[in-house]
Amino acid sequence: MIDVYSWPTPNGHKVHIMLEECGLRLGRDWRVHPVNIGQGDQFQPEFLKISPNNKIPALVDPVGPDGKPISLFESGAILLYLAAKTGKLLPRTDRQKFEVLQWLMFQMGGVGPMLGQAHHFRIYAPEKIDYAVDRYTNEARRLYGVMDKQLSGRKFIAGNQYTVADIAIFPWLRSWQNQGIDWADYPRLKDWFDRIAARPAVQRGVAVLADARKPLTDDRSREALFGKDQYKKR
């Protein structure tokens, strides 16, 4: 059974969805270990052994590529590992594979970091900084526009096949309101979003640990996520 160390965030849900879409079912093929990032669980020595960057998710597979255990951190690497392990959700021809990988990298380098910053400065920052709010809201809207245009004449982000690129991007768009987005401006992307959200495996994936996450209201959680705890040498 695969062990997944996670929390109900976009990056956590990416892996939960991928496992379910690959036909690996929670409780049968994989189990989840909550890492409460609001309480500082990500800084525990046991977790840092498998995720040295103190970020969720992380994965431990007792049967790795050579039959020996393997541990992985970084959600994008985990998605690619699961695609290779199961032979699903990543095309096998070089041309199609690299077309998908460029959109996976687009999520890792753009969608995740930029939408995360938009969310932070619009919702969580202790003081409102207009420059930061405008900068990251505008960048969020630009990225939504890129994806909306990409979906012209295509069913999915990287073509007409559902892939890891769709799985990587989808959870980040679930907080569209907090990112300053009006879906009316992105009709193709909204159609794609609704189709992805309706998939049974996606619904199972986003339900994982969903009840455990609470609104960020206390100082301890803010310190663990955004304060000095992040920068201590470990």
Side-chain angles (χ1 to χ4, degrees):
M1 187 174 285
I2 296 172
D3 290 295
V4 177
Y5 298 81
S6 190
W7 196 242
T9 69
N11 283 334
H13 283 321
K14 282 156 61 173
V15 172
H16 309 158
I17 292 169
M18 182 67 177
L19 285 156
E20 294 292 321
E21 289 282 18
C22 287
L24 302 172
R25 297 297 297 270
L26 179 63
R28 184 192 69 191
D29 305 299
W30 66 283
R31 58 193 163 209
V32 64
H33 303 271
V35 180
N36 189 331
I37 58 176
Q39 299 299 307
D41 291 354
Q42 67 272 34
F43 306 123
Q44 295 300 313
E46 295 79 7
F47 182 68
L48 291 173
K49 288 179 181 178
I50 57 174
S51 184
N53 195 34
N54 64 256
K55 306 292 184 182
I56 63 95
L59 174 149
V60 177
D61 186 352
V63 185
D66 53 2
K68 299 177 182 178
I70 186 172
S71 67
L72 295 166
F73 69 102
E74 282 295 330
S75 58
I78 294 172
L79 294 191
L80 292 175
Y81 173 74
L82 292 171
K85 180 180 179 72
T86 63
K88 297 180 179 180
L89 297 166
L90 186 65
R92 297 188 178 185
T93 67
D94 284 346
R95 178 174 294 276
Q96 290 180 317
K97 179 173 66 176
F98 287 115
E99 288 175 354
V100 171
L101 289 177
Q102 69 182 344
W103 288 100
L104 175 62
M105 298 304 113
F106 169 80
Q107 185 280 307
M108 300 298 296
V111 170
M114 295 298 103
L115 298 193
Q117 293 291 348
H119 199 137
H120 177 80
F121 284 106
R122 290 174 61 89
I123 306 298
Y124 294 129
E127 59 180 297
K128 184 177 180 181
I129 304 172
D130 290 337
Y131 175 83
V133 171
D134 291 344
R135 172 178 170 80
Y136 290 111
T137 300
N138 288 333
E139 179 63 4
R141 292 169 179 165
R142 188 190 72 80
L143 291 168
Y144 272 69
V146 170
M147 292 182 282
D148 189 73
K149 183 178 180 180
Q150 171 65 9
L151 285 163
S152 178
R154 299 176 180 84
K155 290 179 63 178
F156 300 104
I157 290 293
N160 290 318
Q161 183 179 349
Y162 179 63
T163 68
V164 294
D166 302 283
I167 291 172
I169 291 170
F170 170 78
W172 280 99
L173 307 195
R174 295 177 72 224
S175 296
W176 55 274
Q177 289 176 305
N178 290 339
Q179 298 155 8
I181 295 299
D182 183 347
W183 273 131
D185 296 330
Y186 313 100
R188 289 183 291 260
L189 188 59
K190 179 59 164 63
D191 174 73
W192 168 89
F193 180 87
D194 290 342
R195 286 187 285 110
I196 302 300
R199 295 177 67 91
V202 172
Q203 294 176 359
R204 292 195 302 272
V206 298
V208 176
L209 296 176
D211 293 340
R213 190 173 184 180
K214 306 299 180 184
L216 183 61
T217 58
D218 63 282
D219 291 339
R220 180 182 179 188
S221 294
R222 289 181 179 275
E223 186 67 21
L225 289 170
F226 311 129
K228 295 179 181 178
D229 282 357
Q230 280 286 333
Y231 309 113
K232 290 179 180 178
K233 185 176 181 179
R234 292 180 170 85

